């Protein structure tokens, strides 16, 4: 079983001190150690953005895809070996702008992967431009007169598209985030965790103090299997009105469980019956 020390890479973590990404990194590495995930059973895929650097800071089999494309890469990984725990790290720009189509269709297909969405409501890596999660009126170098668009609500969107596990946590609560990541991975189906991840350099609105003041825990009165109740909760946002916890969780057939060729055995364990050398040689 891996320890936290085993997960360290030689690369120094270079996120800005105080960035919410540190909480996500701690939460994930704690989850890896607690759950016994390692290179034999788990793969990490990330997109492009500050979040994507996580592949440099966690020593696990990983792949950093093109901007907006971590979900299709993760989808390919899962299709080839459905026994793997597959984790997608993505930012709000990466996931909801460049990768919006993949997010919707990943949810629709209910593939058994876990999407950890670093939501800082800006494009941090490229110095703070307005993102699909920036609030209306938000001023940045890309919208100096104020953002005219309504932000995308990732949990409402994923719920409408067919995701079967929806959670939200604040990056400053790494313990809750660890528990959420473990539960999302245990869930069989497309799981989305929206992590409220303050970008302390560029987003002066959604700060650590803002989230500490305005989040509240969903309690036992919330029925996680009630789609309409979940939808209503995903639409709540504002002063003292940002719910965190599990919004929705239901069991539905996963994509992999419905494909006859892989429903009982991962693709990599099925012998190739045809000689493919001729085909491969075409591409050499
Ligand atoms: Fe974090 Fe923002 Fe710095 Fe990126 S720019 S590392 S999101 S604080």
């Amino acid at each position: 079983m891996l320890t936290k020390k085993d997960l360290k890479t030689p690369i120094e973590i270079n996120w800005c001190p105080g960035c919410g990404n540190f909480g996500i990194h701690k939460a994930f590495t704690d989850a890896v150690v607690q759950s016994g995930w390692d290179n034999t059973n788990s793969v990490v895929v990330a997109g492009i953005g500050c979040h994507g650097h996580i592949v440099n800071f966690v020593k696990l089999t990983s792949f950093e895809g093109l901007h907006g494309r971590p979900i299709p890469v993760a989808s390919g990984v899962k299709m080839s070996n459905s026994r793997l725990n597959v984790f997608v790290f993505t930012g709000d720009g990466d996931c909801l702008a460049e990768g919006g189509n993949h997010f919707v269709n990943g949810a629709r297909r209910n593939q058994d992967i876990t999407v950890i969405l670093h939501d800082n409501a800006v494009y941090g890596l490229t110095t703070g431009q307005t993102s699909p999660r920036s609030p209306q009126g938000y001023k940045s170098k890309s919208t100096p007169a104020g953002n005219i668009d309504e932000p995308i609500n990732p949990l409402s969107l994923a719920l409408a598209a067919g995701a079967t596990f929806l959670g939200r946590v604040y990056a400053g609560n790494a313990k809750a985030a660890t528990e959420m990541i473990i539960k999302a991975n245990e869930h069989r189906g497309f799981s989305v965790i929206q992590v409220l991840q303050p970008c302390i350099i560029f987003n002066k609105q959604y700060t650590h103090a803002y989230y500490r003041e305005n989040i509240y825990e969903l309690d036992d009165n919330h029925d996680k299997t009630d789609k309409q109740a979940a939808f209503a909760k995903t639409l709540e946002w504002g002063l003292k009105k940002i719910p965190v916890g599990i919004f929705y969780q239901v069991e539905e057939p996963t994509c992999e469980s419905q494909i006859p060729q892989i429903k009982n055995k991962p693709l990599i364990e099925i012998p190739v019956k045809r000689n493919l050398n001729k085909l491969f040689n075409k591409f050499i």
Side-chain angles (χ1 to χ4, degrees):
M1 188 181 275
L2 294 178
T3 64
K4 291 275 275 208
K5 208 170 151 202
D6 298 323
L7 292 172
K8 278 198 175 154
T9 71
I11 302 169
E12 197 179 328
I13 297 182
N14 60 357
W15 288 316
C16 308
C19 174
N21 282 326
F22 283 96
I24 300 174
H25 178 267
K26 174 170 172 35
F28 181 66
T29 51
D30 283 350
V32 171
V33 171
Q34 284 177 34
S35 305
W37 301 330
D38 57 30
N39 283 326
T40 67
N41 58 31
S42 302
V43 171
V44 170
V45 182
I48 300 296
C50 290
H51 74 273
H53 297 331
I54 200 161
V55 299
N56 299 319
F57 309 145
V58 179
K59 205 171 181 182
L60 278 178
T61 301
S62 58
F63 190 100
E64 189 167 15
L66 296 174
H67 201 4
R69 316 301 165 200
I71 289 175
V73 172
S75 175
V77 171
K78 190 74 189 180
M79 293 295 261
S80 57
N81 187 352
S82 48
R83 283 207 226 287
L84 291 171
N85 305 304
V86 180
F87 299 95
V88 171
F89 289 88
T90 180
D92 51 297
D94 188 69
C95 183
L96 303 170
E98 289 81 3
N101 165 33
H102 304 303
F103 183 61
V104 168
N105 285 290
R108 183 171 69 87
R109 296 166 70 202
N110 198 32
Q111 266 199 302
D112 183 19
I113 60 180
T114 297
V115 176
I116 299 169
L117 170 52
H118 299 222
D119 179 8
N120 58 17
V122 289
Y123 282 95
L125 187 66
T126 48
T127 68
Q129 293 83 0
T130 295
S131 83
R133 283 288 300 144
S134 304
Q136 210 171 31
Y138 186 79
K139 289 188 178 169
S140 74
K141 58 189 75 170
S142 63
T143 55
N147 179 23
I148 60 171
D149 298 321
E150 285 278 354
I152 293 176
N153 183 323
L155 296 185
S156 310
L157 182 62
L159 182 60
T164 49
F165 181 104
L166 297 173
R168 181 189 285 147
V169 285
Y170 160 51
N173 188 346
K175 186 168 176 288
T178 299
E179 287 167 11
M180 183 73 80
I181 291 168
I182 293 171
K183 282 181 185 163
N185 180 65
E186 283 169 356
H187 175 75
R188 298 273 73 88
F190 195 83
S191 304
V192 179
I193 305 173
Q194 179 188 14
V195 187
L196 306 173
Q197 179 249 304
C199 169
I200 55 139
I201 301 297
F202 296 113
N203 193 328
K204 303 300 180 191
Q205 183 167 340
Y206 293 152
T207 60
H208 284 286
Y210 179 86
Y211 285 130
R212 283 193 193 116
E213 276 168 30
N214 292 302
I215 58 177
Y216 77 91
E217 293 278 343
L218 289 169
D219 61 23
D220 292 341
N221 292 325
H222 174 65
D223 180 356
K224 290 181 287 202
T225 63
D226 182 334
K227 198 167 193 173
Q228 286 194 343
F231 202 73
K233 283 293 173 194
T234 64
L235 294 175
E236 279 187 21
W237 187 271
L239 297 180
K240 310 284 181 201
K241 272 180 45 184
I242 303 178
V244 293
I246 298 176
F247 288 65
Y248 188 62
Q249 185 172 12
V250 292
E251 295 298 324
E252 299 278 354
T254 62
C255 172
E256 303 83 47
S257 71
Q258 297 176 84
I259 298 176
Q261 292 86 344
I262 61 170
K263 75 175 186 184
N264 297 319
K265 209 175 204 189
L267 190 62
I268 58 155
E269 292 178 15
I270 299 172
V272 180
K273 291 189 184 143
R274 290 170 59 190
N275 185 345
L276 298 175
N277 287 342
K278 205 171 159 192
L279 178 69
F280 290 150
N281 285 341
K282 273 189 183 176
F283 298 95
I284 293 175

